Amino acid sequence: MADYREAPLATRPKTLDPNEYFNLSPDYRRAEEERAALRANLKRQYQLQLNNPHRTELIEDPALTRWVYARANPYPHFRPTKKTSLLGVMFGVVPLFALYYIFKTDRDKKEEMIKAGTLNRKFSLSY
Amino acid sequence: MRTSHSVRQQQPVNMAGVGFQRLAKALAKGKGSGLSALVSGCRAASGATKDSLPGAYPKTPEERAAAAKKYNLRVEDYEPYPDNGEGFGDYPKLQDRSQHERDPWYKWDHPDLRRNWGEPMHWNFDMYLRTRVDTSPSPVPWSTMWKQLFGFVGFMLFMFYMGEKFPSYQPIAPKQYPYNNLYLEKGGDPAKAPEEVKNYEI
């Protein structure tokens, strides 16, 4: 086990982490036990609901609800700072004007060439 | 007895509307006028409560502890995103590890998502699914991979550009035609003498 090397594209599983077995401080152990207690509590809640024979509805996951709510409602926590304003301008305002300018100049040049008769308008099936 | 019954029922009653009328009367017991009189002011106590949903950035330690409890995390593990107005609120900042990296042999509650019920979800959970972004360790460091790829592509582009700028091919010249540049074939007058064309040098 000491010479275990994980597969080239995989992370090392927690149970094979040497820190789990050697040089364990009581703080680390306590922390891991608290995390395990939280996990076990959630597992218990889920299993009770899952194996309840009188249950007719879907099991609602509050963590999922919270995630969806957090992703869908960032607006109350938005504040205009330097970074957010810069991002907003870069993605919202600059493309508007830049694309308008690019398309306008390109089309005007093409129009001039057409009027002067210099544009090579060959027939092409695919493009 | 029967005659008194029939005497009372003189007004024609639309039986379909009776139930609706009774329902409307029951609902309209609320105070206020208009729509608020019909709609009751209380709601059921089921479903997610207001304080189990994400809120604002926690400023005091008590708020931090309450938020950690809400998200099923240890108080020491709970770390909210920095409060710089980007819209995260008090959502916890978890490790940027994709679901690819989770143990495939553990009995997850949701095996396809490699996630247990109630476990706090990463902000970018839908990006870190097993069908999308993978943060597994690579056999060679990323910087090496980038260097190799861009090195090769850049070198090829550079060489093609050089080939365009300095073309190298066998020496060529325009095609030379005999008989004074095909004077007769090109429709020249047979009576007139063509001008002599010499396409060689000795």
Side-chain angles (χ1 to χ4, degrees):
Chain A
M1 243 335 142
D3 54 354
Y4 172 80
R5 242 194 45 155
E6 51 271 341
L9 290 171
T11 31
R12 175 165 258 194
K14 192 131 196 266
T15 44
L16 288 173
D17 191 2
N19 294 330
E20 288 271 316
Y21 299 100
F22 310 118
N23 309 327
L24 283 182
S25 63
D27 289 330
Y28 184 81
R29 280 197 211 191
R30 206 171 299 128
E32 283 302 318
E33 271 171 33
E34 281 177 21
R35 284 188 204 122
L38 281 167
R39 266 202 305 270
N41 187 24
L42 289 172
K43 276 272 188 191
R44 180 181 155 274
Q45 284 181 34
Y46 181 62
Q47 291 292 331
L48 278 176
Q49 286 181 287
L50 188 65
N51 300 323
N52 181 7
H54 300 297
R55 174 176 68 88
T56 52
E57 65 275 342
L58 289 174
I59 304 178
E60 181 201 340
D61 188 355
L64 183 66
T65 318
R66 278 192 288 270
W67 179 72
V68 171
Y69 183 88
R71 284 283 293 259
N73 299 310
Y75 312 109
H77 312 296
F78 174 79
R79 253 192 357 254
T81 64
K82 281 202 290 271
K83 181 171 169 195
T84 56
S85 326
L86 186 70
L87 279 173
V89 163
M90 237 172 48
F91 281 98
V93 176
V94 164
L96 194 64
F97 290 101
L99 285 174
Y100 170 81
Y101 175 74
I102 290 170
F103 286 134
K104 190 91 175 44
T105 45
D106 187 46
R107 291 292 179 95
D108 287 345
K109 232 181 278 175
K110 200 164 166 196
E111 182 68 26
E112 269 178 38
M113 277 169 57
I114 291 173
K115 286 205 176 113
T118 53
L119 187 64
N120 179 17
R121 308 183 94 163
K122 51 185 187 351
F123 176 72
S124 54
L125 270 174
S126 59
Y127 165 79
Chain B
M1 296 3 114
R2 250 189 243 135
T3 47
S4 57
H5 234 295
S6 57
V7 160
R8 221 182 300 151
Q9 299 256 354
Q10 284 298 339
Q11 278 178 334
V13 165
N14 182 8
M15 290 312 293
V18 165
F20 180 72
Q21 281 175 8
R22 290 212 184 120
L23 178 69
K25 279 207 191 89
L27 282 177
K29 282 216 197 94
K31 298 188 214 66
S33 57
L35 189 63
S36 49
L38 289 172
V39 175
S40 77
C42 54
R43 53 165 179 80
S46 58
T49 52
K50 226 2 193 245
D51 57 351
S52 77
L53 291 174
Y57 184 82
K59 297 197 178 61
T60 67
E62 293 88 28
E63 281 180 11
R64 280 185 86 99
K69 191 160 186 320
K70 179 169 71 177
Y71 289 109
N72 292 318
L73 287 169
R74 277 175 72 232
V75 181
E76 296 85 2
D77 288 342
Y78 172 69
E79 185 203 333
Y81 279 98
D83 187 24
N84 48 12
E86 285 177 352
F88 291 109
D90 66 352
Y91 204 81
K93 182 171 175 190
L94 303 164
Q95 270 201 324
D96 286 341
R97 296 246 176 275
S98 113
Q99 305 298 95
H100 287 261
E101 290 197 44
R102 298 215 177 177
D103 190 358
W105 299 106
Y106 173 75
K107 286 179 92 62
W108 302 99
D109 290 338
H110 305 295
D112 49 341
L113 299 172
R114 288 188 185 163
R115 181 181 164 264
N116 284 322
W117 185 88
E119 190 188 319
M121 297 169 82
H122 194 283
W123 182 268
N124 292 319
F125 179 77
D126 51 350
M127 179 176 81
Y128 286 132
L129 293 178
R130 284 171 63 200
T131 49
R132 295 179 180 173
V133 169
D134 183 2
T135 56
S136 300
S138 46
V140 184
W142 271 104
S143 54
T144 318
M145 289 200 276
W146 279 122
K147 275 186 222 149
Q148 285 183 8
L149 178 68
F150 282 121
F152 176 72
V153 170
F155 174 73
M156 294 308 289
L157 283 172
F158 175 73
M159 290 312 284
F160 274 115
Y161 174 71
M162 282 299 163
E164 284 289 320
K165 265 265 163 334
F166 306 112
S168 104
Y169 43 80
Q170 296 280 5
I172 52 171
K175 186 158 177 62
Q176 297 167 349
Y177 295 94
Y179 303 118
N180 304 322
N181 274 347
L182 300 175
Y183 178 73
L184 289 173
E185 281 79 357
K186 281 195 189 158
D189 194 357
K192 271 205 278 185
E195 54 195 48
E196 291 290 326
V197 178
K198 244 182 21 165
N199 284 333
Y200 57 88
E201 266 178 26
I202 298 175

